[in-house]
Amino acid sequence: MLSMNLINEFKAVVGPENCRYHAIDLDLYSYDSSPFVYQPDLLLFPRTAEEISKIVKLAAMHGVPVTPRGAGTSLSGGAVAKAGGVMIITTRMDKVLELDLLEETVLVEPGLVNLELQNYLKPHGYMFPPDPASQQASTLGGNIAVNSGGLKCLKYGVTKHYVKGLEMVLNDGRIVRTGHLALADEDGGPDPSGIFLSSEGTMGVITKALLRITPLPADTIAVSAVFDSQEKSGRAVSSIIAAGILPAKMEFIDNLLIVAVEDYLHLGFPRDAEAILLIEVDGQGPELPRQMEDIAELCRKAGALSIQTAQTPEEQDLLWVARRAAGGVLGRIKPAYLPHDIAAPVSKLGTLLTTVAEIGRKHGLLIAKSGHVGDGNIHPELLYDPNDPEETERAKRVFTEVGLAVLPLGGTITGEHGVGLEKIEFMVHEFTPDELEFMSQIKKTFDGRGLMNPGKILPEEYLPSLTGERK
Amino acid sequence: MTAGTANRLFSPAEPAEALENIKQSLAEKRPIIPAGRFSRLGDWSRRPAFGADFVAAGNLNQIVEFNPDDLAIRIGAGATPAELNQILEGTNLFWPVRGVHLENRSLGAILNEGLSGDEVRRYGRMLDLLMGVEMITPDGRRIKTGGATVKNVSGYDLTRLCWRAAGTLGFVLNVTLKLTPNLETKCLAEVPLADPAVGADLAEKIILGRLGAESLKIIHNQGWFLTVGLGDFREVVDLRKERLAAILKEAGLAYEIYDDPGYYSRPEMVLCSSRTESARARRRDLLNMVRSLAGRKDGDFYLEADITGEMARFRSLPDRFPGVVVDDVNSAGPVYRQLKNSLDPEDIFFPLPLMTKRPE
């Protein structure tokens, strides 16, 4: 709980119109897109880096925790205020500051929504490739803070590959610039941007980002390939990659989702199919039919029952609407689900899918599986009824078992959602004590008192305490 | 720093041996200088009385893990891009951070120096193709981060820690790299120029016209040239050749096309020597620099301005380039020093770059 005097000091920084602390406002910001609920003590909506700097300095002076937040679409609890304190919401810093087509860069504020940037770039013939499923709502600051992925990562990479420079406010209020935003000497010098990317707001607040953009492809072709077994669909994925073809998108949905999506969108997907691959190639145009023919042939050889090409742009869009609807349609089956976003090397994907299915069968829990199979990232969604305590507990146990199953395959517990609060339990399994200790040392370098987005990423014993000592 | 004692050279063949070597140096508080295989340490490494331990990665050049289906390879940091691409021959895959200037650089050195290949515009920097790193930290821990998945956001991204850190933040044992399917075809268009300003204008036009050039360079080597690298599927390269021909015709310029050129760098432009200097700048600044060099006497300098890669390499220039505009705001330096002071408080790992003066 903050004193009224302190609240007034924060209010003076941003102005009364950008400060909220009524119970209903605080309740609204107790949530993100994860099941975690923690209430902040004060909501601040700054408009400049200088305001954020003053907020952070003031918070540091009084030992108040700071939680940075964009649109609150985190699926892992990254955007809730675990230790209360001040929440810095960047949604009012939402401008495109500069577009430079010669440099192929765009300078943006952190609160700009991903899709708004795409819409801004489109008339100029450019795109920002990372396209997380939340792109209609999620902000670029949030995308950078968790290094968001999306559907196009096999060919185009993830958010970090498009960040050329950052402006950040560190825990002592310093405004620092890294990468190309700080390019100052001919030798370039070390670039500390890397450790700030995907640090989930635990090292500072992003206030500007210089992003690389790429030309929009001239054309795209998309197909859906239907399989009677997940194993065959996995074989098709491997053979496409082994043939040297890099589709822009290569997505997978399993039978549970096929039926749910079909009930919702009526696309004509066969309800008895065990797996469908949705594949899109993009490029200049003349090379695409040949590429897609090769893909179709490889799918047939792997055992595809049918392959259908989207004939119009509208049909293509529908395929991706179907894929993006995968989370929402699960509500038709069960009222809640625990989302995983494990990733494994592509060569181990078949094993992973089989293992996850076996775990679900063993515990009698429905697991819907979708994923960006081209890059090895799958989303097993564990369906349960929160009103059924036994099933809820069972879902939690399965969540742990599924997460642990990916590690012996050389995979990771989180491909794109971030660790936040949700995946902390896995950190001691994915990393050695030395590795966690080293991460802890880096965290302490930039936030020795543990005030920046406290309680996230690292297990408690590796986080700094408010006195700067290890707990 | 133990001045007056002799240098030592460790050439570990295994990660465990490297760890042992480094722990020994740390225990004795001797400066550690991570080195590659053909390192540019040059005259520093020959100084007899500096008292540092050179830890060379040259023997750490073996494949650790490789499955072509993963489009990834884990390989010792002492391997060079040329060696790596030799290993990949026959797999339909290649490692795209390549160029004449990288022939003799170890992967660990490319990472620590922050170098880019000829095809940086299409494939990105080494950093963008780096999926994992195993390294020894300045306090002597052997850690592994990342792996053979494109997506991995578990914990802090330590894979990027060593980028451009010049060996000051640890010793890289091996790297996991993202590989790329072979190109169907590639070619290099070379355009002789009477005036570098024409080349700069053309380069600008090519970028803004979204020709899709993989490499775009303005070169001065006994005359000015613009080179345009094109590589992709056959149909795409044909299309781009046509568009390039139209642009050059409109400018009234002749050109030659070399099919399957290997590197997009010109072999005679091997600039990896201690006399080489390099500059990083924004494309606009590089183009302005090229323009400002008009009228300089032929033969008094060599230049390779990689416009898409935002890098210029030059040699034998009596003065610094005129016209490279640099920002006077550089707050990344203090942030890096904060990190260095925290991770290596005794300044053991490669203290040289942090010294204001090289040791006598």
Side-chain angles (χ1 to χ4, degrees), chain A residues 183-465:
Chain A
L183 187 65
D185 55 68
E186 292 190 343
D187 292 329
D191 177 4
S193 304
I195 48 158
F196 294 138
L197 290 162
S198 76
S199 62
E200 301 189 28
T202 63
M203 290 191 190
V205 187
I206 297 163
T207 49
K208 281 190 190 79
L210 184 69
L211 305 174
R212 184 162 70 91
I213 54 176
T214 61
L216 276 168
D219 206 356
T220 56
I221 302 180
V223 298
S224 55
V226 176
F227 296 85
D228 60 7
S229 89
Q230 291 180 15
E231 193 262 327
K232 286 177 187 171
S233 69
R235 214 185 305 152
V237 171
S238 290
S239 59
I240 290 166
I241 290 175
I245 303 168
L246 279 189
K249 300 174 185 171
M250 187 147 58
E251 298 291 307
F252 161 92
I253 50 176
D254 75 354
N255 175 264
L256 209 53
L257 277 167
I258 291 167
V259 174
V261 167
E262 189 52 28
D263 286 345
Y264 171 54
L265 288 172
H266 312 293
L267 294 172
F269 287 160
R271 302 172 67 87
D272 58 347
E274 278 301 312
I276 291 183
L277 289 181
L278 306 172
I279 304 171
E280 182 176 288
V281 289
D282 68 3
Q284 287 290 303
E287 80 285 16
L288 298 182
R290 184 161 62 91
Q291 261 192 82
M292 200 44 106
E293 277 167 29
D294 291 345
I295 287 174
E297 184 55 28
L298 291 164
C299 285
R300 265 183 228 109
K301 277 187 183 160
L305 299 175
S306 66
I307 295 157
Q308 196 161 1
T309 305
Q311 299 297 331
T312 62
E314 291 73 29
E315 278 186 26
Q316 265 190 40
D317 286 347
L318 258 185
L319 286 183
W320 303 117
V321 168
R323 170 62 189 90
R324 288 187 192 278
V329 297
L330 292 174
R332 291 171 166 266
I333 306 169
K334 285 272 182 179
Y337 66 88
L338 293 175
H340 249 305
D341 77 309
I342 49 182
V346 177
S347 60
K348 306 285 188 339
L349 206 54
T351 312
L352 182 61
L353 285 168
T354 310
T355 308
V356 171
E358 274 168 14
I359 293 172
R361 268 195 298 275
K362 187 174 80 182
H363 292 276
L365 197 80
L366 288 175
I367 302 181
K369 298 185 290 300
S370 62
H372 321 296
V373 279
D375 56 43
N377 182 203
I378 62 165
H379 298 301
E381 322 284 24
L382 283 47
L383 306 178
Y384 72 101
D385 181 352
N387 298 314
D388 178 343
E390 187 280 322
E391 192 173 62
T392 305
E393 278 312 304
R394 194 155 25 105
K396 285 179 185 168
R397 284 200 303 276
V398 172
F399 187 81
T400 302
E401 204 169 322
V402 168
L404 294 177
V406 75
L407 298 177
L409 302 175
T412 176
I413 50 157
T414 175
E416 57 185 4
H417 293 174
V419 176
L421 293 169
E422 186 189 44
K423 307 277 172 49
I424 287 179
E425 63 166 304
F426 296 105
M427 291 294 281
V428 293
H429 299 289
E430 182 158 350
F431 297 101
T432 65
D434 270 352
E435 288 160 356
L436 289 168
E437 192 64 53
F438 192 62
M439 285 188 204
S440 169
Q441 213 176 332
I442 288 176
K443 161 76 175 169
K444 283 198 300 193
T445 302
F446 294 104
D447 184 27
R449 294 166 69 196
L451 291 175
M452 297 302 302
N453 206 3
K456 309 292 169 65
I457 298 184
L458 293 172
E460 200 179 339
E461 60 270 30
Y462 291 95
L463 285 170
S465 70

Side-chain angles (χ1 to χ4, degrees), chain A residues 100 102-104 150 164 174 177 180 183-184 186-187 189 202 290 347 372 414 434-435 445, chain B residues 70 121 141 144 151 153-154 156-157 160 164 184 235 280 283-284 310 320 327 330-331 338 342:
Chain A
D100 190 331
L102 181 62
E103 306 292 336
E104 296 181 307
K164 294 192 79 167
R174 261 180 308 157
R177 303 173 104 198
H180 279 230
L183 187 65
E186 292 190 343
D187 292 329
T202 63
R290 184 161 62 91
S347 60
H372 321 296
T414 175
D434 270 352
E435 288 160 356
T445 302
Chain B
D70 296 334
R121 183 178 188 273
R141 300 168 197 270
K144 187 171 169 289
K151 289 178 175 170
V153 292
S154 187
Y156 295 119
D157 188 356
R160 302 167 84 85
R164 277 175 25 194
E184 206 167 79
E235 299 91 332
R280 280 193 190 87
R283 291 173 186 175
R284 185 169 282 110
E310 297 160 351
R320 284 187 178 277
D327 198 332
N330 181 13
S331 45
Q338 193 178 347
S342 166

Side-chain angles (χ1 to χ4, degrees), chain B residues 135-210:
Chain B
M135 62 182 281
I136 298 171
T137 63
D139 59 356
R141 300 168 197 270
R142 182 175 166 186
I143 64 163
K144 187 171 169 289
T145 167
T149 55
V150 176
K151 289 178 175 170
N152 184 338
V153 292
S154 187
Y156 295 119
D157 188 356
L158 305 179
T159 53
R160 302 167 84 85
L161 193 66
C162 292
W163 176 248
R164 277 175 25 194
T168 58
L169 296 180
F171 181 79
V172 179
L173 296 165
N174 54 64
V175 287
T176 305
L177 305 171
K178 184 183 174 191
L179 304 173
T180 301
N182 280 335
L183 292 170
E184 206 167 79
T185 185
K186 67 191 275 192
C187 66
L188 182 72
E190 188 178 84
V191 188
L193 302 164
D195 179 352
V198 173
D201 293 347
L202 262 177
E204 212 169 307
K205 204 168 178 178
I206 286 169
I207 293 170
L208 293 172
R210 288 182 281 132

